[in-house]
Amino acid sequence: MEKDKGLLSQGHPIMVFGSALLVIAFVLFTVINPEYANTIYTSAKDFIAGELAWYYIGLVSFTLFFAIWLIFSRYGSIRLGKDDERPEFSNFSWFSMLFGAGIGIGILFWSIAEPIYHFQGNPLLAAGEQMTVEAAQVAMRISIFHWGLHGWGLFAVMGLVLAYFSYRKGLPLSIRSSLYPIFGERIYGPIGHAADLLAVFGTVFGIATSLGLGAQQINAGLQYLTGIEVSSGNQAILIAVISIIATISALTGVNKGIRILSELNMHLTVLILALFIVFGPTAYLLGSFFTNMGDYLFHAVELGFWVNPDPESPWQGWWTLFYWGWWIAWSPFVGIFIARISRGRTIREFVLGVLVAPTVLGAFWITIFGNTALFMELFGNGGVTAAVNEDITMALFKTIELLDLGQALTLLFAIVCTIMLVTYFVTSADSATLVICTLISMGHENPPSRYRVFWGIAIGGVSAVLLFAGGLKALQTASIVAALPFSVVVIMAIYGLCKALKQDVASATDPTQERASVQVQEAIAKASGGV
């Protein structure tokens, strides 16, 4: 039963204690015997990459096509809320928050390193084509694909499912609500608890992956600026400090700390991209953006369904499957968060906004950063590839140094990028904290402060443990494995949404269909009284 006072205020005991025990058990298992734990995680990842690559790839592609279909369907005009409601946040605030929570910290890490890796070799290149102009174009195509429409299609669908059932049907803002058309009132029992616990599990490991990457790169930035040593210990300290800041931000809620920091992120992003364009190879970068977008869109469907036919090649496991696992694991977190900030928008407006705006900005960002590095390799003195191969976390700062702008401008670039790493780190962590607390408090949009404090610290703890357990490979493995159980929930949620949308349209023309709405209200009343 949900308690009104004390530790379990606004929370369910299974969700409060079950989610905490799940994460604590993982941390203890990893800390007690990190080598054995790493072996288990790697074996699980290898199994998924070898046997289930088709499943991950098929699911993500299907979800994108489903999202696009919704835009043009008869359901597009349905509003996420009452028919007369309008959006709570401006378009700029809305976009800043969903982009910052979604991929900001990750794209900062990979926007130079990933194109450089693909530039040196990938399965789409023939022998002898590595490190050529053609290789650079393929590298950009793959990089934008990994950060483009397919991933955002997954976020759009999960966010839509949650916003629809919460704001249109009056159900809690939690994953269990998406299963109501399938299981009815049983979502308030073990079935719903399992779905929400899987969402917490995926969210924790998804965000831990991003925060681990962010901590590594912040450490690299501080070394570049101040000479601080790059080490797991320093990265753990960074995680601890920034997790405290993120927890404080989460305590202030969406309208204050999270919104303000997200808007700051966007302003800093515009600034650094402008600096790269002005002081970098301007004409080449602007031309590359149009070329990259055309090339990506032309090949997007082909790439979306491609499964590597070589069972011995680890490339797809370490790249595409890592990203798809990351996106799936993040989908409950980002889905709930963008649902929370999207009340009052229509389905068409919501899906279009979530699909198009972040994809275009992401592609532009990757182009400006990635093509700057590739220009140096193809037409300059090089140096970025060697830096990436030696230490991936230094890719961004080495590129800035090789722009050869003079000490003052180089320092300015490095400072802005390091600040961005910190602020994107904070907005990812505080958003995830708020989402997890919403889940364990059965959909309450303003969960108790003590939950936010515990989970703000817990997320940082998991990130640190993964770093100690094996660094980047452990982080990649965690995201791929954590996505598998939640992928089943994604499929059921899509089915539940289709069923509910059909009933929604039918009820507009047939009064007898109103029984579905009555049943929902009865379920809410029962949940309010306890389970």
Side-chain angles (χ1 to χ4, degrees):
M1 180 175 291
E2 202 173 313
K3 304 295 183 182
D4 296 323
K5 297 180 180 180
L7 178 64
L8 297 178
S9 173
Q10 295 184 17
H12 191 284
I14 292 178
M15 293 304 303
V16 173
F17 295 120
S19 56
L21 289 174
L22 193 67
V23 172
I24 291 170
F26 161 78
V27 171
L28 290 176
F29 174 67
T30 306
V31 169
I32 291 172
N33 194 338
E35 291 185 5
Y36 177 69
N38 201 27
T39 300
I40 295 294
Y41 303 147
T42 302
S43 298
K45 190 273 296 181
D46 290 342
F47 171 78
I48 292 171
E51 305 297 329
L52 296 177
W54 61 270
Y55 171 68
Y56 275 47
I57 289 168
L59 175 61
V60 173
S61 291
F62 167 76
T63 305
L64 172 60
F65 284 111
F66 177 70
I68 294 172
W69 172 78
L70 283 171
I71 295 172
F72 299 100
S73 73
R74 58 178 177 168
Y75 308 120
S77 60
I78 294 175
R79 196 166 292 279
L80 302 175
K82 297 178 181 178
D83 290 336
D84 59 350
E85 282 192 76
R86 292 298 178 266
E88 178 183 1
F89 297 100
S90 69
N91 287 335
F92 180 76
S93 294
W94 181 59
F95 175 57
S96 297
M97 286 190 284
L98 73 89
F99 189 82
I103 62 172
I105 191 74
I107 205 170
L108 261 171
F109 188 92
W110 290 112
S111 54
I112 290 175
E114 182 175 356
I116 290 296
Y117 270 121
H118 301 325
F119 177 61
Q120 299 175 75
N122 64 75
L124 304 183
L125 291 176
E129 288 185 343
Q130 294 83 2
M131 303 187 75
T132 62
V133 173
E134 292 75 15
Q137 190 57 58
V138 173
M140 294 306 299
R141 179 194 311 161
I142 294 171
S143 300
I144 293 173
F145 166 65
H146 285 153
W147 293 93
L149 291 170
H150 284 76
W152 282 103
L154 190 66
F155 285 176
V157 168
M158 286 308 298
L160 174 63
V161 166
L162 293 159
Y164 175 82
F165 282 108
S166 180
Y167 302 133
R168 186 77 180 178
K169 296 300 183 182
L171 289 164
L173 185 61
S174 62
I175 302 299
R176 70 179 69 225
S177 298
S178 66
L179 307 181
Y180 183 84
I182 304 173
F183 299 107
E185 297 179 6
R186 285 179 291 169
I187 65 169
Y188 296 104
I191 292 173
H193 298 329
D196 281 348
L197 285 173
L198 284 175
V200 171
F201 184 78
T203 298
V204 169
F205 289 97
I207 192 65
T209 301
S210 277
L211 300 189
L213 297 176
Q216 290 177 321
Q217 201 169 24
I218 293 170
N219 194 177
L222 292 176
Q223 182 197 42
Y224 185 82
L225 292 170
T226 67
I228 292 176
E229 179 187 4
V230 173
S231 68
S232 297
N234 284 336
Q235 289 159 17
I237 293 171
L238 284 170
I239 289 173
V241 172
I242 297 176
S243 293
I244 292 171
I245 298 172
T247 301
I248 294 171
S249 176
L251 288 170
T252 66
V254 173
N255 282 296
K256 294 182 180 178
I258 294 175
R259 179 185 60 80
I260 293 169
L261 282 173
S262 295
E263 292 179 356
L264 172 62
N265 286 339
M266 194 53 56
H267 291 303
L268 289 173
T269 298
V270 171
L271 172 62
I272 196 64
L273 291 177
L275 289 172
F276 265 81
I277 292 171
V278 171
F279 293 101
T282 307
Y284 172 78
L285 294 178
L286 296 177
S288 294
F289 173 65
F290 289 97
T291 301
N292 291 344
M293 284 300 296
D295 184 57
Y296 160 64
L297 292 173
F298 184 80
H299 291 93
V301 175
E302 174 191 3
L303 287 172
F305 285 104
W306 182 75
V307 179
N308 195 340
D310 182 2
E312 300 300 319
S313 172
W315 185 90
Q316 192 165 44
W318 282 120
W319 289 105
T320 304
L321 293 187
F322 158 59
Y323 278 113
W324 286 182
W326 192 4
W327 289 97
I328 293 171
W330 268 53
S331 64
F333 150 47
V334 180
I336 287 178
F337 184 75
I338 62 177
R340 171 68 182 80
I341 62 176
S342 302
R343 183 169 190 154
R345 298 183 184 271
T346 65
I347 287 178
R348 183 173 293 111
E349 179 185 7
F350 176 91
V351 176
L352 266 174
V354 176
L355 276 183
V356 176
T359 296
V360 172
L361 178 58
F364 188 69
W365 187 331
I366 293 170
T367 294
I368 301 306
F369 278 33
N371 276 110
T372 296
L374 290 170
F375 182 87
M376 294 173 177
E377 293 298 307
L378 291 170
F379 311 112
N381 296 324
V384 181
T385 298
V388 168
N389 292 341
E390 181 180 350
D391 183 358
I392 187 174
T393 64
M394 287 300 296
L396 174 58
F397 299 99
K398 187 64 176 179
T399 302
I400 293 171
E401 181 181 302
L402 292 172
L403 283 171
D404 196 22
L405 303 174
Q407 185 175 359
L409 276 176
T410 299
L411 185 62
L412 173 64
F413 272 56
I415 290 173
V416 172
C417 286
T418 303
I419 292 172
M420 285 175 66
L421 286 165
V422 173
T423 54
Y424 270 116
F425 189 130
V426 171
T427 50
S428 294
D430 59 13
S431 303
T433 299
L434 193 60
V435 165
I436 291 172
C437 295
T438 299
L439 285 170
I440 67 171
S441 60
M442 302 291 284
H444 287 286
E445 293 186 7
N446 295 297
S449 298
R450 59 186 171 280
Y451 295 167
R452 305 187 201 193
V453 172
F454 173 81
W455 282 103
I457 296 170
I459 288 171
V462 173
S463 302
V465 167
L466 284 173
L467 276 177
F468 280 111
L472 180 59
K473 288 188 176 181
L475 294 168
Q476 290 177 306
T477 299
S479 67
I480 294 174
V481 175
L484 183 59
F486 190 74
S487 67
V488 179
V489 179
V490 172
I491 295 171
M492 290 194 293
I494 292 174
Y495 173 76
L497 177 65
C498 291
K499 190 173 180 180
L501 287 173
K502 186 176 180 180
Q503 291 175 346
D504 202 338
V505 171
S507 66
T509 56
D510 183 1
T512 62
Q513 294 292 328
E514 287 295 323
R515 287 182 301 172
S517 297
V518 173
Q519 290 173 344
V520 169
Q521 296 303 321
E522 289 175 351
I524 297 170
K526 179 178 179 180
S528 300
V531 289

